[in-house]
Amino acid sequence: MKLTPEQILEIFNFRHACKKFDGRPLPEAEWNTILEAGRLSPSSFGYEPWHFVVVQKRELLEKLYPWTWGGQRTLYNASHLLIILARRQRDLQPDSQYLGHMMRDVLGLTPELCQAREERYATWQERDFDLTQERPVFDWACKQSYIALANMMTVAASLGVDSCPIEGFKRTEVERILQEEGILEPQHFGVAVMATFGYRAEAPHRPKTRQSLGEITTWVR
Ligand SMILES: Cc1cc2nc3c(=O)[nH]c(=O)nc-3n(C[C@H](O)[C@H](O)[C@H](O)COP(=O)(O)O)c2cc1C
């Protein structure tokens, strides 16, 4: 099936950072489609450095609320809160257990190919992208998590589902809470970004504001 350019732009104009949901739950099939869009998202080397935490439990939302100032308007009226975890350096080192699992069990590579890939990846990380320290490596994993987030929000919009991306939270406190709840292992993961999903309670308060294409595009031809 092929969408028309008008239909595609309609989806992008429908999506906005929703400030209030009406509390209706999303049908399971729709939520699963949104999650699938995250799962099928592309990642560097195909290493999927993310994990999706889906929160619907009121007690956990209440614990997160004081530290999630950017989500306070939607946390309690959304259908789902998504927290995307990103892998830390330990899991993204060339010889890590996690990457061994990815190459062997997910990408289905032979031991020889795994070895060659490990070397190529190590050279790329060190020489080309300067990914040798904890924070840049975590940020690299976060960047990729945002690709999954964007795909999930666009797919949601194409299903008529609203969303709000959330970076307005105190990362250390959210990670502490998730660790206490047994959801996050801090040696392996940190919190990249969150988003709420549901159905809008009211129309967007203002029309979309964006720079023109002329302002943000340089053509070289
Ligand atoms: C990575 C990211 C983080 C954001 N964090 C928040 C947030 O914490 N709370 C919020 O209400 N909106 C948040 N937003 C929404 C933006 O303010 C919004 O996308 C932007 O103003 C453009 O408006 P639109 O999405 O309605 O077109 C975030 C957006 C992005 C992409």
Side-chain angles (χ1 to χ4, degrees), residues 15-17 19 70 73 146 164-168 206 208 210:
R15 191 218 56 79
H16 70 296
K19 302 300 179 206
R73 284 181 290 189
Y146 281 61
C164 185
I166 301 169
E167 253 180 355
R206 58 183 172 94
K208 274 217 181 301
R210 291 292 191 273

Side-chain angles (χ1 to χ4, degrees), residues 91-154:
D91 286 353
L92 297 173
Q93 266 164 346
D95 59 351
S96 72
Q97 233 184 4
Y98 173 68
L99 292 194
H101 157 68
M102 285 304 295
M103 287 191 284
R104 226 177 23 248
D105 308 326
V106 180
L107 299 172
L109 302 179
T110 60
E112 296 73 37
L113 283 176
C114 288
Q115 183 62 33
R117 210 172 210 267
E118 187 181 315
E119 285 162 21
R120 194 156 55 88
Y121 173 74
T123 310
W124 172 81
Q125 269 204 327
E126 281 172 41
R127 194 193 58 194
D128 297 337
F129 252 64
D130 200 13
L131 288 171
T132 53
Q133 284 160 17
E134 172 63 39
R135 183 65 197 237
V137 173
F138 175 64
D139 285 343
W140 174 60
C142 287
K143 283 196 229 175
Q144 297 177 63
S145 302
Y146 281 61
I147 298 174
L149 171 72
N151 284 336
M152 290 163 105
M153 293 194 299
T154 304

Side-chain angles (χ1 to χ4, degrees), residues 10-145:
E10 201 181 315
I11 290 166
F12 276 82
N13 278 302
F14 173 86
R15 191 218 56 79
H16 70 296
C18 183
K19 302 300 179 206
K20 191 177 176 194
F21 297 104
D22 68 2
R24 274 186 298 148
L26 301 185
E28 202 180 317
E30 306 218 332
W31 176 249
N32 286 339
T33 306
I34 293 167
L35 270 184
E36 275 291 294
R39 188 177 75 89
L40 294 172
S41 293
S43 57
S44 188
F45 289 85
Y47 288 156
E48 305 171 34
W50 50 58
H51 187 86
F52 306 132
V53 177
V54 183
V55 184
Q56 289 185 295
K57 195 169 144 196
R58 178 76 189 199
E59 294 92 304
L60 181 54
L61 294 175
E62 282 172 10
K63 287 183 187 164
L64 295 171
Y65 186 91
W67 304 107
T68 312
W69 53 267
Q72 287 176 343
R73 284 181 290 189
T74 60
L75 225 47
Y76 292 157
N77 48 52
S79 170
H80 295 74
L81 167 68
L82 171 75
I83 305 178
I84 306 187
L85 308 183
R87 296 234 172 221
R88 292 199 182 278
Q89 187 182 28
R90 175 181 169 151
D91 286 353
L92 297 173
Q93 266 164 346
D95 59 351
S96 72
Q97 233 184 4
Y98 173 68
L99 292 194
H101 157 68
M102 285 304 295
M103 287 191 284
R104 226 177 23 248
D105 308 326
V106 180
L107 299 172
L109 302 179
T110 60
E112 296 73 37
L113 283 176
C114 288
Q115 183 62 33
R117 210 172 210 267
E118 187 181 315
E119 285 162 21
R120 194 156 55 88
Y121 173 74
T123 310
W124 172 81
Q125 269 204 327
E126 281 172 41
R127 194 193 58 194
D128 297 337
F129 252 64
D130 200 13
L131 288 171
T132 53
Q133 284 160 17
E134 172 63 39
R135 183 65 197 237
V137 173
F138 175 64
D139 285 343
W140 174 60
C142 287
K143 283 196 229 175
Q144 297 177 63
S145 302

